[in-house]
Amino acid sequence: MVFYDSINEEKTSPAQAVIGYLTTALQGSDYSVAEPVLDRALRTAGFASVRSQVLPEGQGVIHRSMVMRIARKEK
């Protein structure tokens, strides 16, 4: 499982993630990862399937909704 604040390819949403990366991006270090890039990287690393599951707001320590990537390797 990968927990990461991924953003869309246009780098415009979700707003909380974009704002979170804004400081470093303005300093010339963009650490944001677009959703399709993360999925391709997981498949390139040998994972057979990658799916997403939305974790609703208020789950444990999560104070906003997040997307969890679940990557599985073949047995």
Side-chain angles (χ1 to χ4, degrees):
M1 287 186 277
V2 176
F3 290 96
Y4 197 84
D5 271 339
S6 60
I7 58 176
N8 66 5
E9 284 189 278
E10 295 81 25
K11 298 187 177 193
T12 57
S13 70
Q16 296 95 335
V18 172
I19 292 168
Y21 291 118
L22 187 59
T23 304
T24 55
L26 290 173
Q27 294 172 350
S29 300
D30 187 2
Y31 296 111
S32 62
V33 176
E35 292 173 2
V37 173
L38 181 58
D39 292 350
R40 281 193 303 268
L42 288 167
R43 291 184 194 277
T44 300
F47 289 93
S49 68
V50 179
R51 67 181 179 92
S52 300
Q53 181 175 337
V54 176
L55 301 175
E57 190 172 332
Q59 290 281 129
V61 297
I62 301 170
H63 300 292
R64 60 185 168 84
S65 63
M66 291 184 73
V67 177
M68 175 177 62
R69 296 278 190 266
I70 302 168
R72 296 182 185 263
K73 287 198 171 199
E74 299 257 351
K75 291 185 179 182

